[in-house]
Amino acid sequence: MVGPKRPQFVLFGSSIVQHSFYDQGWAAILSHLYARKADIVLRGYTGWNSRRALQVLQDIFPKDATEQPSLIIVYFGGNDSVLAHPSGLGQHVPLQEYIQNMTKIAIYLKKTRIIFLGSPPVNEPQLLGNSDLLGRPFRTNESCRIYSEACLSLCRDLNIKAIDIWSAIQRRKDWREVCFIDGIHLTAEGSKIVAKEILKVLKEAEWEPSLNWKSMPIEFAEDSTYDPIAPDGKTTINISGSPFHGDSEWD
């Protein structure tokens, strides 16, 4: 544990979360913008579905923890939506069970400010080995849409903030060419879309205190004689809140 204590934003989900610092990913963008304001904490697990998330929910977010997150961003659904295997093994979770699982997760976390991310699209032509022996695809963009809409619907019912990533990415005309590394996981361009959608929700949310990156206090922002010397040679310049290259893109 290090100090001083900062707000924590926990990202909880499958590989879209685990790899969200990779290649200018959306977690990396958040970490940059919230530097000296909040800590971005990753709890991402490649391959997981909502069943596995529910199994460990109390271990990751214990109710008796002395410190609770200021924000939790949750993503599960893409793996749940894959083609069911006859054995019952694998990642697939039937739609109604997925809705039940995500509802339980939401209710458990609801005392904390939370944002759910709906499933992103997939670029089917880019996927390798995306079919079983009968030629049926394991993942389809249509199944992602169905699970995304189910997630968004339950969030409306529970009055939880949610982001329609499936639609947001496809609003870009060249999304198939620029948004995916492998048809599933996001490039820097895809992550920019996710980050902008999250930042929009945080800016518009009527939460007190605000979690908008431009509104949160900066750690150790007081003036200091150790700051860079001003042109007059007699004073110093406080640069704790100085914008960095490209920050204006996220205003």
Side-chain angles (χ1 to χ4, degrees), residues 75-250:
Y75 165 68
F76 292 99
N79 294 326
D80 298 66
S81 74
V82 302
L83 180 69
H85 191 272
S87 68
L89 299 173
Q91 298 169 306
H92 176 76
V93 174
L95 183 61
Q96 290 306 312
E97 183 189 343
Y98 168 73
I99 293 170
Q100 292 169 4
N101 292 344
M102 295 300 283
T103 299
K104 290 175 182 176
I105 292 170
I107 291 171
Y108 182 85
L109 298 175
K110 201 172 181 185
K111 288 187 178 180
T112 305
R113 287 169 282 194
I114 54 178
I115 300 172
F116 274 29
L117 306 181
S119 298
V122 294
N123 182 21
E124 293 176 43
Q126 198 177 358
L127 298 174
L128 297 176
N130 186 41
S131 61
D132 64 9
L133 295 176
L134 299 177
R136 297 175 301 179
F138 292 123
R139 293 179 186 266
T140 68
N141 201 29
E142 176 63 11
S143 65
C144 289
R145 180 192 65 80
I146 292 169
Y147 278 67
S148 173
E149 289 187 357
C151 178
L152 300 175
S153 177
L154 73 89
C155 287
R156 285 192 293 270
D157 291 343
L158 296 173
N159 194 28
I160 290 171
K161 297 189 183 302
I163 298 174
D164 183 0
I165 301 297
W166 192 87
S167 297
I169 287 178
Q170 291 182 95
R171 280 196 287 269
R172 180 164 176 162
K173 291 183 179 180
D174 60 350
W175 69 275
R176 293 186 183 275
E177 288 75 36
V178 302
C179 287
F180 294 99
I181 298 169
D182 53 9
I184 300 173
H185 302 103
L186 300 171
T187 61
E189 290 300 314
S191 276
K192 279 185 181 180
I193 296 171
V194 175
K196 285 182 177 179
E197 293 294 321
I198 292 171
L199 292 168
K200 179 182 177 183
V201 170
L202 293 175
K203 182 178 181 179
E204 295 177 353
E206 296 180 354
W207 286 335
E208 292 295 340
S210 173
L211 299 182
N212 179 14
W213 71 279
K214 300 202 78 174
S215 301
M216 294 181 70
I218 299 171
E219 189 175 276
F220 296 132
E222 64 276 5
D223 294 337
S224 170
T225 55
Y226 302 120
D227 284 333
I229 299 172
D232 63 13
K234 300 177 181 179
T235 58
T236 58
I237 301 173
N238 187 330
I239 60 172
S240 61
S242 298
F244 194 67
H245 175 72
D247 282 0
S248 60
E249 178 181 0
W250 310 103

Side-chain angles (χ1 to χ4, degrees), residues 2-42:
V2 296
K5 184 173 65 177
R6 294 178 182 171
Q8 283 192 343
F9 294 1
V10 180
L11 315 182
F12 179 43
S14 56
S15 58
I16 296 294
V17 172
Q18 179 172 327
H19 304 307
S20 58
F21 274 95
Y22 175 76
D23 188 27
Q24 304 175 59
W26 57 275
I29 294 168
L30 295 178
S31 186
H32 165 66
L33 295 175
Y34 283 91
R36 297 177 66 170
K37 298 178 180 182
D39 288 333
I40 309 301
V41 180
L42 210 60

Side-chain angles (χ1 to χ4, degrees), residues 57-73:
L57 191 61
Q58 295 183 41
D59 296 320
I60 296 175
F61 302 104
K63 289 290 189 182
D64 59 354
T66 55
E67 301 295 335
Q68 296 292 336
S70 296
L71 173 70
I72 302 172
I73 298 177

